[in-house]
Amino acid sequence: MRAILGLLCSAAITMAQKFTNPVVWEDLPDNEVTRAGDSFYMTASTFHYSPGAPVLRSYDLVNWEHIGHSVPVLDWSPKYSLENGQRAYVKGIWASSLRYRQSDNRFYFVACIEFSKTYVYSAASPTGPWSQIGTINKCYYDAGLYFDKDDTPYVAYGRGDLHVAQLAKDLKSEVREQTVLRPSGLTLEGSRMYRRDNNYYIFLTRPATGQYIAKSTNGPFGTYTLKLIADNIRLSAVPRAGAPHQGSLVDTPKGDWYYMAFADMYPGGRCPVLAPITWGSDGWPTIQLVNGQWGDYNYPLSPHPVSSPIGTDTFSGSSLRQDWEWNHNPDTKGFTVNNGLTLRTVTVTKDLYQARNTLTHRIRGPQGTGTVLVDFSNMADGDRVGLAVLRDQSAWIGIEREGDKWSVIMVTDVSMNSDWSTKSTGTVAARKDNISFRKVYLRLNADIRPGSPGTATFSYSENGSSFTSLGSSFKLHTDWQFFPGNRYGIFNYATKKLGGSVRVTQFENK
């Protein structure tokens, strides 16, 4: 009996363990969480990064791991491959929807691309393979997919006027559509659709501070009544972050409900934050706050650790881990993963933003350090290889080869105009000429705490233990208009002719 009581006490202590928001200090905006059995899956916006629409998995709603992508390639236009001088920065995958359908044991993802068409993807497993199964010739803006109890698919969508569309069972065509809400004096978006008891709900955001929910007691097409449930709530653990908003609702196998929102936390991006909700007898939800703020809470379920991108990636095997994404679609002939990553030059340019095959990784906050080990002995004359802090204002440290002269350089003020064309290809702020080594550790330290100075510093090392700083600190850009947050970017491009290559043997993320 004493042993049983001990186990029960231990379980109670485990269940009482608290978590701190954000649950993942990474740029994962416009998220939606769906549940399949005892597992939870989350999607997020990825814009011009490829593959797109990450799939993350959790067993407790707090610990998340990257396991796949719903969109294997951004194949809607050549500009998503940086071809013919074109580019697709801040286009691509915006607030989209990931849902599990129990009747056929499949996952579905829907996304409107560039306010034009809506693309439908599906997979039998969240890890893939994913494939495009249909295209609907209209935009379901900020789509929220929902499968009703009779298996009928619906999509809530829109900005300003809100709509509900009924889809065919195979999700390849629209059956009917109706405007269900015209909120006076409000611009609402970010639709998510649910049914609880006999009520239908559309979860909506007023960017970027308010959250509303609309309720219908007489079917998916309404009439809907609108209610404000969150207005400029602060995040207690990160007081200078933006207000939690948008995101999605999800229930646990025990029947408890949670709200996974996100908070603007630039220069790092927009990060997922979690809070419990309760339902009143009137059918309306209430977010559970701590002293009037979005706080720290007990774990929804027993803590279940999962694999983390923190640590060292040696690029083992023959494919990249799922926490990596390319800046636009890569040229697949230009890289090889084989117990190391070989990057061959595929672009002749002096513009980092136009260089193909830049491999990116989210920076883990509040302060991240990325270190890459590169063998650059096969660089060609005119090549540049390096590690960047990548956004619409960027900087980098790397190797420059000009003839027989090899140098470590730090480049600053790489920047874009407001239409995301290149404003400046940067200025060499510091350099170490005539180096004799051919392997180098390049390091980037990034402080991405919101409200902080937001700086990046750069250094290099021959041995991985003693690092030399190069250049002054770089101020990170915090404006939201370039939606993605700052990322690490590993690049290799030519300025004269193709033919060179480098080998990346490890990336340490901490």
Side-chain angles (χ1 to χ4, degrees):
M1 178 62 73
R2 182 176 297 175
I4 294 173
L5 289 173
L7 288 172
L8 290 173
C9 290
S10 176
I13 292 170
T14 299
M15 289 301 293
Q17 182 176 337
K18 288 185 178 293
F19 67 88
T20 299
N21 280 301
V23 290
V24 186
W25 200 316
E26 288 184 359
D27 186 29
L28 293 164
D30 307 328
N31 64 72
E32 181 172 43
V33 178
T34 189
R35 179 170 65 86
D38 295 334
S39 303
F40 302 91
Y41 301 93
M42 178 164 59
T43 188
S45 294
T46 43
F47 306 96
H48 50 274
Y49 292 110
S50 178
V55 181
L56 290 86
R57 179 175 57 201
S58 176
Y59 302 98
D60 57 18
L61 286 172
V62 175
N63 297 292
W64 292 89
E65 60 182 336
H66 292 259
I67 63 168
H69 289 83
S70 297
V71 182
V73 61
L74 316 185
D75 56 1
W76 317 298
S77 165
K79 63 188 171 189
Y80 287 95
S81 298
L82 293 173
E83 293 180 354
N84 303 318
Q86 300 179 81
R87 55 180 60 181
Y89 286 103
V90 199
K91 301 183 187 297
I93 295 174
W94 292 17
S96 306
S97 190
L98 172 69
R99 282 299 185 100
Y100 170 71
R101 181 158 68 177
Q102 187 174 3
S103 64
D104 60 2
N105 194 30
R106 293 187 66 87
F107 292 82
Y108 293 86
F109 176 82
V110 295
C112 167
I113 303 301
E114 294 191 56
F115 309 98
S116 177
K117 298 178 181 180
T118 298
Y119 296 83
V120 183
Y121 298 80
S122 184
S125 167
T127 60
W130 285 81
S131 59
Q132 183 183 322
I133 63 167
T135 304
I136 299 173
N137 289 320
K138 67 185 297 184
C139 175
Y140 295 139
Y141 178 85
D142 280 13
L145 178 63
Y146 170 68
F147 293 105
D148 209 346
K149 293 180 179 179
D150 64 359
D151 217 29
T152 301
Y154 295 95
V155 175
Y157 68 98
R159 186 174 190 271
D161 289 355
L162 285 308
H163 311 262
V164 169
Q166 178 185 336
L167 304 184
K169 288 292 180 72
D170 62 5
L171 280 75
K172 296 180 181 180
S173 61
E174 181 180 280
V175 175
R176 61 172 291 201
E177 179 272 341
Q178 184 174 314
T179 302
V180 298
L181 196 63
R182 288 191 168 98
S184 177
L186 285 173
T187 299
L188 301 179
E189 59 185 28
S191 298
R192 301 293 184 222
M193 193 171 185
Y194 307 94
R195 182 177 180 180
R196 182 179 180 272
D197 297 331
N198 290 319
N199 299 328
Y200 289 82
Y201 297 90
I202 303 176
F203 207 44
L204 299 157
T205 195
R206 182 196 69 215
T209 58
Q211 195 66 24
Y212 287 75
I213 191 164
K215 181 179 72 170
S216 166
T217 59
N218 55 350
F221 292 99
T223 305
Y224 281 89
T225 302
L226 190 64
K227 183 177 182 179
L228 175 68
I229 64 168
D231 190 12
N232 206 26
I233 297 171
R234 308 317 300 172
L235 182 62
S236 63
V238 191
R240 301 189 72 174
H245 65 288
Q246 205 163 333
S248 59
L249 303 176
V250 67
D251 65 339
T252 71
K254 299 189 301 179
D256 299 321
W257 284 77
Y258 286 82
Y259 174 22
M260 185 74 83
F262 64 83
D264 288 19
M265 299 176 68
Y266 291 108
R270 295 174 288 170
C271 305
V273 294
L274 183 70
I277 67 168
T278 56
W279 296 88
S281 59
D282 57 1
W284 292 104
T286 300
I287 303 169
Q288 299 304 296
L289 303 178
V290 179
N291 298 322
Q293 295 186 320
W294 197 285
D296 298 341
Y297 303 96
N298 292 336
Y299 264 74
L301 299 160
S302 297
H304 192 301
V306 293
S307 62
S308 169
I310 298 301
T312 300
D313 186 356
T314 58
F315 302 97
S316 60
S318 58
S319 60
L320 293 169
R321 292 190 330 201
Q322 296 297 332
D323 44 309
W324 292 100
E325 292 162 0
W326 300 93
N327 176 21
H328 293 64
N329 292 322
D331 181 340
T332 57
K333 299 186 297 296
F335 73 94
T336 305
V337 182
N338 183 12
N339 295 314
L341 170 66
T342 298
L343 292 174
R344 293 174 281 278
T345 55
V346 294
T347 311
V348 178
T349 184
K350 294 184 179 180
D351 183 358
L352 175 63
Y353 294 128
Q354 205 62 43
R356 296 191 69 183
N357 288 23
T358 295
L359 185 62
T360 77
H361 198 285
R362 294 169 181 83
I363 299 173
R364 176 66 66 95
Q367 294 165 298
T369 300
T371 307
V372 62
L373 174 57
V374 183
D375 180 337
F376 56 92
S377 55
N378 287 324
M379 285 179 71
D381 179 20
D383 286 1
R384 306 288 188 269
V385 60
L387 176 65
V389 58
L390 187 65
R391 203 167 182 252
D392 60 324
Q393 294 186 19
S394 305
W396 57 269
I397 186 171
I399 304 297
E400 168 195 88
R401 181 182 176 186
E402 289 294 331
D404 293 329
K405 181 180 177 181
W406 307 65
S407 305
V408 185
I409 62 174
M410 185 266 177
V411 175
T412 189
D413 296 329
V414 183
S415 61
M416 292 182 180
N417 296 302
S418 58
D419 63 355
W420 318 131
S421 61
T422 298
K423 179 179 181 180
S424 170
T425 57
T427 302
V428 177
R431 61 189 308 127
K432 170 66 175 177
D433 290 327
N434 301 315
I435 59 174
S436 58
F437 52 87
R438 294 296 180 263
K439 292 183 180 180
V440 67
Y441 293 84
L442 302 173
R443 175 167 288 177
L444 161 60
N445 296 93
D447 183 347
I448 59 171
R449 292 173 294 174
S452 70
T455 57
T457 57
F458 299 88
S459 56
Y460 70 95
S461 172
E462 294 183 54
N463 55 26
S465 57
S466 176
F467 280 79
T468 301
S469 296
L470 194 66
S472 57
S473 63
F474 176 74
K475 184 178 180 181
L476 299 176
H477 197 207
T478 59
D479 287 354
W480 61 266
Q481 285 84 355
F482 189 95
F483 290 128
N486 284 278
R487 291 191 177 200
Y488 301 114
I490 303 171
F491 63 87
N492 181 38
Y493 63 86
T495 66
K496 296 180 180 179
K497 63 179 181 179
L498 303 181
S501 66
V502 299
R503 185 166 176 80
V504 181
T505 54
Q506 71 176 49
F507 174 79
E508 183 184 42
N509 182 29
K510 64 180 184 180

